[in-house]
Amino acid sequence: MNFNIDFKWYEWLFGVISLILASFLTHEVFATLAESQPGTVKVLSLLIGIPLIIFLYLTFGLRSALKKHKSN
């Protein structure tokens, strides 16, 4: 089997940062809800969720944009 996986170092870096942010956000949301402070979830979602979305876009959006650029 031949897998043609071509990841650059910065794609790995963005992916690892995305995973760290996602796990941190999940942990903090459940911990905050366990402490019965639902208002804090909104603030955490903004503070951690926005960078998470940015890094997910950098991970997957940049990869697909570069793939389209290489094929043209």
Side-chain angles (χ1 to χ4, degrees), residues 26-67:
T26 305
H27 174 269
E28 292 301 317
V29 165
F30 284 118
T32 304
L33 289 175
E35 293 177 358
S36 301
Q37 296 178 354
T40 311
V41 173
K42 296 175 187 175
V43 175
L44 285 172
S45 297
L46 288 175
L47 290 176
I48 302 169
I50 291 174
L52 173 60
I53 291 171
I54 292 170
F55 277 107
L56 283 173
Y57 174 75
L58 288 174
T59 302
F60 296 108
L62 185 63
R63 178 153 177 82
S64 65
L66 289 174
K67 186 182 277 187

Side-chain angles (χ1 to χ4, degrees), residues 4-20 54-70:
N4 190 10
I5 299 175
D6 182 30
F7 288 107
K8 306 289 186 214
W9 66 269
Y10 51 85
E11 292 171 347
W12 284 104
L13 180 66
F14 293 150
V16 168
I17 292 172
S18 297
L19 284 173
I20 291 169
I54 292 170
F55 277 107
L56 283 173
Y57 174 75
L58 288 174
T59 302
F60 296 108
L62 185 63
R63 178 153 177 82
S64 65
L66 289 174
K67 186 182 277 187
K68 287 180 185 176
H69 181 69
K70 285 182 182 179

